[in-house]
Amino acid sequence: MAVRLPRPRRFDVCVAAGSLLGGLLLWGLGLATRPHTEPYVLLPGRWPVLLPLLVMAGCELLRRTAPRTALLIGTAAIVLDLVTQGNLVTVLMYTDLMYAAVLYGPPASAHRIPRITGLLSVAGSVVPFAVWREPEALLIGVVTGVVAFAPAATGLIVRNHRDAAEAARLRAEQTALLAEMDRTQAVTAERARMARELHDMVANHLSAIAIHSTAALSLDDPKTSQEALVVIRENSVEGLSEMRRLIGLLRDSSGDVEPAAAPTLDGLGALVEGARTNGLDVTFDAAHGTVPTPVELAAYRIVQESLTNALKHAGPGRVSVSLAQPDGLLTVAVTSPYGDRDGPSAPGSGAGLVGMRERAALLDGTFEAGPEDSPDGKIWVVRATLPVTEGEPE
């Protein structure tokens, strides 16, 4: 089975053709590197010079596609050129093959070839001088270093710079990829935060509007309709105020994470009074100290959403809200009657429970919601436990 050599590159073809023409020009002019009278010129005459020249030109075609093969064949050709009168272009092509073998060859060869040529250069200087005791003998090592070691060392330097540039390019691509991933995660987290804020701010008021408008439409009583319209107007105004505050937060370019007028636990009393106005029978019990702002906001939103769910879904009966702070934990509990509802209700999407669970998870707290049995019957319990740390968390 025949071995098919890879197709040479166009640049390598140009290098081989140009070198061959230059060598033929020197050969035609009768210019050689050594006179035929030298004792080590075993093949005198003009014609033997052409064979290593042609072989070296053929090796130039493989300088990048098969650099090690080209170097081995080129080494045999340069040895053959040494026993002829020689051609300068043949020597120059060999230096290019040495350079290409280090630059384009495998990593092992790229580090091995400069060491071998360096040792040959040293040996070419020391051994002849030790044998002949003539200063001119040192020129053998110098020529070996110029022809072999210098191009190999140059190829190694260029290869190291090329590998460093490639590694820097890969690091830049990885950095850009990580930055894009961070940006995507930040956008996703911000969208989730905006969704929680929008839901918690507006859902309570819209639920009250929907329930009271349904009651006003279903009852033919002017007094009841008037009271419902009053409640609808109050919730509409409050909902618009909350919406304006959220829009102001989104348009704020100062970089604040929360608006200056973020709700606090001190506002739970007003929140409970609003729930009573909307028709809920609510009891409120709060026993807590100073807590960090993120914990305060999360607790407020959990109570707000729990009251909204009670307004939409709870059965007739009393709703209780309690806050306690035992052992560095802020515990929020909201209970409401669980069962069939007699009056009008508002549809729910389940986003409120998801938002409350996310708020607790962001503070490394716990959250649970579901029906439980009690002496007064079945109730729906929302319970969140939020760690309270000194100062604001990072």
Side-chain angles (χ1 to χ4, degrees):
M1 180 174 163
V3 178
R4 185 176 180 180
L5 293 177
R7 186 175 181 179
R9 306 285 183 89
R10 179 178 299 180
F11 178 78
D12 299 340
V13 174
C14 295
V15 170
S19 301
L20 180 60
L21 292 177
L24 292 176
L25 179 61
L26 294 182
W27 176 80
L29 295 176
L31 299 178
T33 57
R34 291 175 294 276
H36 67 278
T37 56
E38 292 290 340
Y40 50 83
V41 177
L42 304 180
L43 299 175
R46 298 180 58 195
W47 293 102
V49 177
L50 292 180
L51 180 59
L53 176 65
L54 293 174
V55 173
M56 200 71 74
C59 292
E60 285 282 27
L61 296 174
L62 306 176
R63 61 189 298 273
R64 276 193 289 186
T65 55
R68 290 192 299 181
T69 303
L71 181 61
L72 291 175
I73 300 175
T75 301
I78 197 67
V79 172
L80 179 61
D81 182 75
L82 291 176
V83 299
T84 66
Q85 289 185 253
N87 191 303
L88 180 60
V89 176
T90 303
V91 179
L92 293 178
M93 284 192 288
Y94 182 74
T95 61
D96 181 65
L97 292 179
M98 185 68 70
Y99 171 83
V102 176
L103 182 59
Y104 303 116
S109 300
H111 292 84
R112 189 180 299 119
I113 292 175
R115 290 197 293 266
I116 294 175
T117 54
L119 292 175
L120 290 177
S121 300
V122 173
S125 299
V126 175
V127 175
F129 180 77
V131 173
W132 295 327
R133 297 293 180 178
E134 295 290 340
E136 291 80 2
L138 297 174
L139 294 177
I140 298 176
V142 174
V143 172
T144 304
V146 171
V147 173
F149 177 70
T154 303
L156 182 60
I157 293 173
V158 174
R159 184 184 183 119
N160 288 337
H161 282 289
R162 185 190 65 181
D163 293 344
E166 180 67 16
R169 185 187 66 82
L170 292 176
R171 284 196 299 270
E173 291 180 354
Q174 293 175 354
T175 302
L177 180 60
L178 291 176
E180 179 62 22
M181 294 174 60
D182 290 341
R183 187 194 68 82
T184 302
Q185 292 176 356
V187 170
T188 303
E190 183 63 17
R191 290 179 63 180
R193 188 178 76 90
M194 291 167 55
R196 288 195 301 268
E197 289 295 322
L198 181 61
H199 181 276
D200 294 343
M201 286 180 178
V202 182
N204 182 35
H205 304 297
L206 293 182
S207 299
I209 292 172
I211 291 173
H212 285 278
S213 61
T214 302
L217 291 173
S218 61
L219 298 176
D220 188 12
D221 185 355
K223 183 179 179 181
T224 303
S225 299
Q226 182 69 23
E227 294 175 352
L229 288 175
V230 171
V231 174
I232 290 173
R233 184 185 181 281
E234 291 177 354
N235 281 277
S236 299
V237 172
E238 293 177 4
L240 286 174
S241 177
E242 295 283 358
M243 182 65 72
R244 290 192 190 100
R245 192 169 72 85
L246 179 60
I247 293 174
L249 170 64
L250 296 179
R251 288 183 175 177
D252 183 18
S253 59
S254 62
D256 295 335
V257 178
E258 294 294 342
T264 64
L265 294 182
D266 294 335
L268 287 178
L271 185 65
V272 171
E273 286 299 325
R276 289 171 181 160
T277 303
N278 290 329
L280 288 179
D281 181 12
V282 186
T283 62
F284 179 52
D285 180 22
H288 61 82
T290 303
V291 297
T293 301
V295 177
E296 197 168 18
L297 176 61
Y300 181 94
R301 294 302 188 198
I302 290 173
V303 173
Q304 183 183 42
E305 180 58 28
S306 299
L307 292 178
T308 301
N309 289 339
L311 179 64
K312 292 191 294 185
H313 308 296
R318 177 166 294 181
V319 178
S320 66
V321 178
S322 64
L323 279 78
Q325 191 176 343
D327 301 329
L329 297 174
L330 180 64
T331 302
V332 181
V334 181
T335 63
S336 58
Y338 181 76
D340 296 334
R341 182 185 179 92
D342 297 333
S345 62
S349 63
L353 293 177
V354 174
M356 290 189 286
R357 183 172 287 106
E358 288 178 350
R359 289 184 183 277
L362 288 173
L363 298 173
D364 294 330
T366 61
F367 175 82
E368 56 183 4
E372 292 183 3
D373 293 326
S374 71
D376 297 331
K378 208 165 189 179
I379 60 174
W380 181 272
V381 179
V382 174
R383 187 178 293 108
T385 303
L386 308 176
V388 178
T389 58
E390 292 295 331
E392 300 220 0
E394 297 180 0

